[in-house]
Amino acid sequence: MKMNTLEKLAMNNPVRLLIQRHFELPLLQKLGGRLDGMSVLEVGCGRGVGTELLFKQLGAAKVHAIDLDESMLKHARKRLAKYSPTQLKLETGDVTDIDAPNQSYDAVFNFAAIHHVPNWQAAVVEIARVLKPDGRFFFQEVTSQWIHRWPYSVLFEHPKENRFSSEEFIQEIEQQGIAVDNNWEKRGGGDFVFGVGRRNSMNSQ
Ligand SMILES: C[S@@+](CC[C@H](N)C(=O)[O-])C[C@H]1O[C@@H](n2cnc3c(N)ncnc32)[C@H](O)[C@@H]1O
């Protein structure tokens, strides 16, 4: 589900950029390490702030960034114009139907996109499918607690059914063969969950 106008205002501003750069990315890096020379998928890339951080701060060599919303990709294309087509593939795409073969990426990044997906479990299945054995899944997500909290429940548009707590999100990831163990943290009193899981090499197709 695309963001409504109010959520776009909340996401496409300098405060969000500072939070993503100085809080979210360092926390995910602490949990999962760097991506030097690696091939990375970012799902729900929005205006591309996270994509740029994957190159600049984590050392990714190649990023495939997808988003459902062409209007967000328009911003991302401007921001990321300096990256060549061999470094960056930026395109419309759905995390529940990723246009890539099995075991394509060393890492997948999700900065707060999956809570927008009605069948979020299908997104986790797809992410597990495209991760290489031992590949890492970095996630920052928004839980059911936040989605149903006033005023966000009124101002922003999210699927309201079939949402998840931090524990339910981790459990689904682990069921798909991505081991998170204790490598995750709740923030905001359980409104947000951050973590990094590693694709199980034994269960890989
Ligand atoms: C809350 S925004 C986060 C954007 C960006 N990752 C950030 O942190 O600033 C959620 C993004 O996920 C995208 N999105 C929603 N459903 C999606 C889907 N099924 N597949 C890919 N992207 C999706 C939305 O268009 C939106 O850009």
Side-chain angles (χ1 to χ4, degrees):
M1 179 185 281
K2 293 178 187 174
M3 294 187 285
N4 68 8
T5 307
L6 278 176
E7 192 176 3
K8 281 184 183 170
L9 287 174
M11 297 303 288
N12 298 346
N13 71 63
V15 177
R16 164 77 189 137
L17 183 149
L18 290 174
I19 293 172
Q20 206 168 354
R21 181 180 294 161
H22 296 293
F23 170 67
E24 294 178 358
L25 189 90
L27 177 52
L28 289 172
Q29 182 177 349
K30 184 191 92 174
L31 293 168
R34 291 179 55 86
L35 302 169
D36 294 295
M38 294 191 167
S39 174
V40 183
L41 170 71
E42 188 191 357
V43 297
C45 63
R47 63 183 176 142
V49 169
T51 318
E52 191 168 27
L53 295 175
L54 299 182
F55 283 118
K56 279 190 170 169
Q57 287 189 222
L58 296 190
K62 283 184 183 181
V63 181
H64 179 195
I66 60 170
D67 200 287
L68 206 58
D69 188 340
E70 184 51 41
S71 73
M72 295 299 290
L73 288 168
K74 218 168 104 186
H75 295 292
R77 280 196 196 96
K78 253 191 212 161
R79 174 180 301 282
L80 301 166
K82 59 181 170 289
Y83 296 101
S84 72
T86 50
Q87 293 172 292
L88 175 67
K89 188 170 156 197
L90 186 57
E91 61 182 4
T92 313
D94 185 337
V95 62
T96 64
D97 185 17
I98 299 167
D99 185 16
N102 296 351
Q103 304 184 0
S104 290
Y105 305 101
D106 300 301
V108 175
F109 252 81
N110 163 45
F111 285 107
I114 290 179
H115 69 284
H116 269 268
V117 181
N119 184 356
W120 64 272
Q121 291 93 339
V124 176
V125 169
E126 270 296 83
I127 288 167
R129 181 184 72 77
V130 299
L131 263 181
K132 291 180 185 172
D134 283 329
R136 285 165 285 166
F137 177 34
F138 293 72
F139 53 88
Q140 178 252 314
E141 259 314 330
V142 176
T143 66
S144 165
Q145 181 177 294
W146 183 89
I147 286 174
H148 291 100
R149 205 184 272 290
W150 190 89
Y152 313 114
S153 57
V154 180
L155 299 178
F156 297 161
E157 202 178 340
H158 294 106
K160 297 283 195 300
E161 305 301 321
N162 182 32
R163 295 304 84 196
F164 48 81
S165 64
S166 303
E167 289 79 5
E168 286 163 345
F169 191 64
I170 305 295
Q171 192 182 17
E172 182 63 32
I173 293 170
E174 295 221 314
Q175 268 173 11
Q176 298 310 324
I178 300 173
V180 183
D181 300 319
N182 293 322
N183 203 28
W184 62 281
E185 294 183 13
K186 283 185 193 184
R187 290 295 164 112
D191 281 1
F192 308 103
V193 57
F194 291 75
V196 180
R198 197 172 277 276
R199 181 85 170 90
N200 193 333
S201 43
M202 286 175 62
N203 292 348
S204 303
Q205 300 143 6

